[in-house]
Amino acid sequence: MLCLAFAGAAVAREVAVDVGHYAAEPGVISASGVPEFEYNLALALQLKTELEKLRMKVRLIGERGDYAVLYDRTRDARGADLFVSIHHDSVKESLLPQADRFAGFSLFVSRENPKLGQSLACASAIGARLRAAGFTPSRYHADPATGAPRPFADEANGVHYYDHLAVARTATMPALLVEAGVIVNREEERRMRDPQVRTRIAAAVAEGARACLAKER
């Protein structure tokens, strides 16, 4: 019995949940004037809850709003099995008058990450579960008309390559960035504020993470 208990503990998986941005540079300002960091923190805390429901370990990164150096985030995540950075999206300044046209989630991985295959597998698993939960991938980042398009890594599940993305590139473990929704879109921001919507997003991300890490055993 002791051996079995020890074996069960030994295979517990840990996810580093990174709260995007920090107090001095809180990210985009939403349609109603709320800094992105507040949305990122709320979703990251809910994701922690959902991961723990699945009996996974969680290491929060940046929840105090004091991580100004991006490399410090991945440094302090070392030893985790997966790094997930939580963000909410915007559009370039010239498109802000049309922001309500853009909605949906996006996921990003870096081809410079040493565990690209696992990063992509986890991003695809998360995207698939977000779609199953009723959320739609954004095509904003793949449209040349919006500027600086990011090529699709998995179009169906909303996963893009973003090779120079600092947290994904410098992580030593599989890593991805989640843009949960476009908060400069007034209706999308309203959805992102809804605790039930936030829980559905977090549950989908947690289940995707669990599924991809289970395949790596």
Side-chain angles (χ1 to χ4, degrees), residues 1-79:
M1 292 298 292
L2 289 174
C3 292
L4 289 174
F6 178 79
V11 296
R13 310 312 291 266
E14 182 177 23
V15 179
V17 177
D18 171 53
V19 183
H21 299 288
Y22 58 101
E25 293 189 14
V28 304
I29 303 302
S30 75
S32 69
V34 178
E36 179 192 348
F37 179 78
E38 294 187 21
Y39 283 95
N40 298 346
L41 178 59
L43 180 55
L45 291 173
Q46 188 62 46
L47 176 55
K48 178 179 185 292
T49 296
E50 299 303 323
L51 287 165
E52 289 174 342
K53 287 180 184 177
L54 298 175
R55 301 184 182 278
M56 300 180 72
K57 295 167 62 180
V58 180
R59 190 184 312 184
L60 278 177
I61 305 287
E63 74 277 14
R64 297 184 303 273
D66 57 356
Y67 271 75
V69 180
L70 292 175
Y71 173 74
D72 289 350
R73 297 170 184 260
T74 51
R75 178 202 64 196
D76 290 351
R78 286 176 184 165

Side-chain angles (χ1 to χ4, degrees), residues 117-168:
Q118 294 170 345
S119 299
L120 179 53
C122 287
S124 292
I126 288 169
R129 281 156 180 79
L130 284 167
R131 289 173 54 229
F135 299 100
T136 303
S138 168
R139 299 193 63 83
Y140 171 80
H141 293 282
D143 185 350
T146 66
R150 307 293 177 190
F152 276 118
D154 176 357
E155 184 172 359
N157 292 313
V159 184
H160 301 259
Y161 289 120
Y162 187 174
D163 293 339
H164 298 297
L165 183 64
V167 290

Side-chain angles (χ1 to χ4, degrees), residues 105-125:
F105 70 86
S106 298
L107 303 162
F108 298 90
V109 298
S110 171
R111 284 174 285 203
E112 297 183 17
N113 180 280
K115 302 289 182 66
L116 172 60
Q118 294 170 345
S119 299
L120 179 53
C122 287
S124 292

